[in-house]
Amino acid sequence: TAAEVVRLLNEHMTALTEVVYRHGGVVDKFVGDLIMAVFGAPRPGSDDALRAARCACDMVATRARMNRDAAEPIQIGVGVAFGDMIAGCMGSSQRLNYTVLGDRVNLAARLCSMAPAMAVYVDASVAERLDAGWRVHALEPLKVKGFADPVRAFQLEVKENDA
C-alpha cells in the first residue's frame, strides 16, 4: 500500500541519512528514493572525496545489513564525483533551497543511475584521492549523457565491515 511504501522509504532514508552524517556530509535533498549528499560545502576540507567514498561504501554495507532482516529488500547503487561546483541558495523569490550545481553534481547523479545494485561507482577524481587500502576496479570508459567524451569511472569494492 502507499502507507507501506512511505514507511519503507522513510526507514531507508533515515538509516542512510545517519550514514551521511556519520561521515560529515550534508543531506542536500531527497528525490524519490534518491539521497543527494554533499561533502565539502559549505566548508571544503582536504578529505572531502575520501569521506564521500567511505560514506558511499558504508551506505551499501548498511543497506545490505538492513536487507538481511527486511521483508522488502532494497537494492541501491551509489555514484560519487569530486570537483568544483557552485553551492548556494537557489530557486525563486518565493522559495529558496540550499543546493549545489555543476558538472560534478550531474556526473555523480549519472554514475548513481549507472551503478548496478549494491555497487559504488566513482569518477577518476575520487579514485585518485584514495589510499592504497582501497580495492578499486577500473571500468571501461562510460558514455554519459551530458558529457561529450567518455568518462573514466571506477567501481569500489564494498566490504561487510564498511558499515
Side-chain angles (χ1 to χ4, degrees):
T1 67
E4 291 169 329
V5 170
V6 170
R7 181 199 53 74
L8 179 67
L9 284 175
N10 285 343
E11 178 184 273
H12 170 73
M13 299 297 197
T14 297
L16 296 191
T17 295
E18 289 171 4
V19 172
V20 172
Y21 292 160
R22 187 165 54 241
H23 291 277
V26 173
V27 173
D28 178 290
K29 65 178 62 79
F30 302 106
V31 182
D33 61 354
L34 179 142
I35 298 174
M36 183 172 155
V38 178
F39 292 80
R43 292 184 196 91
S46 61
D47 64 344
D48 293 330
L50 180 60
R51 287 184 301 111
R54 284 182 182 145
C55 177
C57 290
D58 191 352
M59 290 173 113
V60 170
T62 296
R63 188 66 249 175
R65 181 183 45 75
M66 292 173 70
N67 283 347
R68 286 196 291 265
D69 299 323
E72 296 291 332
I74 297 174
Q75 304 294 310
I76 63 171
V78 182
V80 182
F82 179 78
D84 291 335
M85 61 188 74
I86 299 167
C89 290
M90 297 169 215
S92 73
S93 60
Q94 291 85 23
R95 184 169 189 254
L96 295 173
N97 283 327
Y98 180 84
T99 193
V100 290
L101 298 173
D103 72 335
R104 298 296 93 186
V105 177
N106 295 338
L107 180 56
R110 300 285 188 244
L111 291 174
C112 183
S113 67
M114 298 172 95
M118 306 308 276
V120 175
Y121 278 9
V122 301
D123 72 348
S125 247
V126 173
E128 290 164 3
R129 287 167 172 77
L130 302 177
D131 58 40
W134 288 81
R135 293 228 167 119
V136 180
H137 308 284
L139 302 169
E140 290 294 320
L142 300 173
K143 178 92 173 112
V144 178
K145 181 180 174 186
F147 292 80
D149 297 321
V151 172
R152 287 180 44 228
F154 303 82
Q155 183 170 344
L156 301 184
E157 188 172 304
V158 178
K159 300 175 281 284
E160 259 317 288
N161 62 354
D162 283 334

